[in-house]
Amino acid sequence: MRKNELGRFSDASFLILSSLANGPKHGYAMMEDIRTFSGTQLEPGTLYGAISRLEKQGWIEALPTEERRRPYRITGAGVAALREQVATLEQVASVGKSRLATMEGF
Amino acid sequence: MRWLLRLYPRQWRERYEEEMLAVLEEHQVSPATFIDLLMGALDANLHYDGCLEGVMYMVHRLRSGMVMIFCAFMLFEVGWGMLQRLNDPMTFFQAANRAHPVFGILHTAILIVGCLALVALLVGGLPIFFISVKRAVKNRKRDALAPFWVALSCLLLFILETAILADWHRIAFAKHHLVGFFLSYLIVVGIEFIVGTISVALTISRTEFQLRELKLLLIPEIVILFGMDVSVVLSTVLIILITVYAPQLFTTQDVGSPMFITGIIFMALGTIFAWMGHRRGTIKGFDPFTHT
């Protein structure tokens, strides 16, 4: 995986991949979906910066334009990358939880 | 906000400007949006290098390779069609074939592999062309629809002209100027063939495809290349054998040796261009079947 190539867009990329995991969406639909499930308001500059990188990585794929809106969908490689990111986050969350529990125990 | 997008590099704007404008029209613009776009423009100028890798790049490569193979096959077909005239008139060809049965075998084999390649082109190409036209109509893409109408007009004109040609003995002008009539037909059909081929190529090259759609062509492409290669080899062998054992065929048949040589050259050039197209659609280390 080439996560480091995503630079400052790595968080936005994770949110976009998560958003596309339940079906193709165009830019504005992604922004709305991300706001709903994560509370993060992505701005268009960040969104398209991340989209261009994800496309370059081959993790998402553009679908044909529908009245100026272009939907995107996650690719097989994108699903694998998302799965890996989710596993890392779960591990981090699990360590965080157990350390919090230890701290609270004191 | 459109002016802000002008700060992005040209390549980036060609790819994302329209859809980003559509997003901005729906989005509630704030000072944060303004700053975000400025940061985005700076980042794009520093880092965006077009689609140098990934699915989009692969799609572009596959599409242009596919268009090259289509044009190359059209060139090949012209040469292949010329060689099919070898057995006309039948009497002389059959006489030579009785002495050298290999002539007939090779001629039939060239016909079969050529037809096989044509069928593969139709099986793989027609769905792609249908997708192109459907998408152009749906999105009202005039730059893709215009060449489609030109190609369709060429096809209809060709059918009409061929119907007229089939009825030539009822046309007074054709009766008196037979050579001129046939030559005019050939010239007009040749022009339509070239214009039609270019128009189909333009329609396809102006369509946005998905990788899974273009994958439909990978197997037909192999069959087309196989058919072209085998045809060129067999045709060369046939012409060499005729030159050695029955050179009289070059004078007795409807078409002489210059036409056969031109045919072979067209077939060979078409095959070379088709391989170049195939190479264009192949990227080392990228498997179009798995997207990795």
Side-chain angles (χ1 to χ4, degrees):
Chain A
M1 191 191 291
R2 294 159 289 179
K3 190 172 183 286
N4 54 344
E5 285 179 26
L6 297 172
R8 74 181 181 92
F9 295 100
S10 59
D11 290 342
S13 301
F14 178 56
L15 292 171
I16 290 170
L17 288 176
S18 302
S19 174
L20 296 180
N22 75 336
K25 289 179 192 69
H26 56 76
Y28 187 70
M30 264 187 255
M31 283 165 67
E32 285 298 294
D33 183 46
I34 289 167
R35 195 168 56 85
T36 309
F37 76 74
S38 73
T40 306
Q41 175 65 67
L42 280 187
E43 291 292 338
T46 307
L47 178 78
Y48 276 92
I51 284 177
S52 68
R53 280 169 165 80
L54 287 169
E55 262 199 295
K56 193 175 165 184
Q57 300 273 50
W59 290 354
I60 65 170
E61 180 185 11
L63 298 172
T65 311
E66 294 166 353
E67 293 166 2
R68 294 176 69 214
R69 292 163 157 187
R70 191 194 299 269
Y72 292 86
R73 74 163 173 202
I74 192 165
T75 63
V79 171
L82 178 61
R83 195 169 285 137
E84 200 177 317
Q85 278 181 301
V86 167
T88 309
L89 280 177
E90 275 175 350
Q91 200 187 340
V92 171
S94 151
V95 171
K97 263 187 199 172
S98 70
R99 288 184 183 175
L100 269 176
T102 314
M103 199 173 77
E104 281 160 3
F106 283 110
Chain B
M1 282 290 156
R2 185 181 276 270
W3 66 271
L4 251 180
L5 295 188
R6 294 203 188 283
L7 298 175
Y8 280 81
R10 185 184 54 80
Q11 262 189 315
W12 192 96
R13 279 190 280 126
E14 279 171 7
R15 174 69 184 82
Y16 297 107
E17 189 176 40
E18 267 309 299
E19 55 183 295
M20 203 162 166
L21 279 171
V23 168
L24 282 167
E25 280 167 18
E26 291 183 271
H27 181 64
Q28 196 175 355
V29 176
S30 65
T33 314
F34 179 81
I35 294 166
D36 184 65
L37 285 175
L38 276 180
M39 294 285 286
L42 179 68
D43 173 72
N45 278 294
L46 291 175
H47 299 117
Y48 187 72
D49 50 5
C51 291
L52 291 180
E53 53 181 298
V55 176
M56 279 300 287
Y57 177 56
M58 189 66 208
V59 167
H60 290 157
R61 289 283 294 257
L62 270 176
R63 185 183 57 191
S64 55
M66 188 176 82
V67 168
M68 262 184 90
I69 291 175
F70 168 71
C71 294
F73 186 78
M74 289 294 121
L75 180 66
F76 167 88
E77 279 289 287
V78 173
W80 180 80
M82 286 176 177
L83 285 191
Q84 292 311 307
R85 306 282 302 148
L86 186 64
N87 62 355
D88 194 10
M90 284 294 275
T91 346
F92 296 108
F93 186 77
Q94 278 173 346
N97 190 37
R98 269 194 293 277
H100 307 282
V102 70
F103 290 177
I105 295 168
L106 284 172
H107 190 260
T108 311
I110 295 164
L111 176 71
I112 291 169
V113 285
C115 288
L116 186 74
L118 179 63
V119 169
L121 182 92
L122 293 175
V123 168
L126 281 179
I128 292 290
F129 189 60
F130 178 72
I131 290 169
S132 272
V133 176
K134 194 179 155 196
R135 211 153 275 166
V137 171
K138 193 181 168 196
N139 296 319
R140 293 173 194 156
K141 273 197 86 182
R142 260 189 270 174
D143 64 338
L145 273 175
F148 163 69
W149 289 120
V150 173
L152 189 66
S153 308
C154 287
L155 179 68
L156 294 175
L157 280 172
F158 168 71
I159 294 169
L160 182 72
E161 288 150 10
T162 308
I164 293 171
L165 183 79
D167 217 18
W168 70 271
H169 52 276
R170 291 190 191 174
I171 302 167
F173 174 81
K175 277 183 193 169
H176 296 105
H177 306 89
L178 194 59
V179 177
F181 183 72
F182 276 98
L183 263 179
S184 317
Y185 170 81
L186 283 176
I187 290 167
V188 172
V189 165
I191 291 169
E192 282 160 9
F193 182 80
I194 293 166
V195 173
T197 302
I198 294 170
S199 303
V200 171
L202 282 176
T203 307
I204 293 171
S205 60
R206 288 172 181 173
T207 304
E208 291 168 19
F209 291 102
Q210 290 167 248
L211 194 54
R212 67 185 165 85
E213 292 165 346
L214 296 183
K215 275 194 243 168
L216 293 172
L217 259 181
L218 295 176
I219 292 169
E221 196 176 295
I222 293 165
V223 179
I224 292 167
L225 289 169
F226 168 80
M228 290 169 90
D229 287 346
V230 174
S231 273
V232 170
V233 172
L234 295 182
S235 302
T236 311
V237 173
L238 179 62
I239 296 298
I240 291 170
L241 290 177
I242 289 175
T243 312
V244 175
Y245 297 110
Q248 73 277 9
L249 282 180
F250 288 128
T251 46
T252 57
Q253 300 309 91
D254 264 5
V255 283
S257 50
M259 191 155 168
F260 290 133
I261 291 164
T262 312
I264 287 277
I265 290 171
F266 278 15
M267 286 170 77
L269 282 177
T271 308
I272 291 166
F273 291 145
W275 274 104
M276 285 165 70
H278 177 70
R279 266 186 70 109
R280 183 159 179 75
T282 314
I283 298 172
K284 228 178 179 179
F286 191 100
D287 182 355
F289 285 102
T290 59
H291 292 206
T292 52

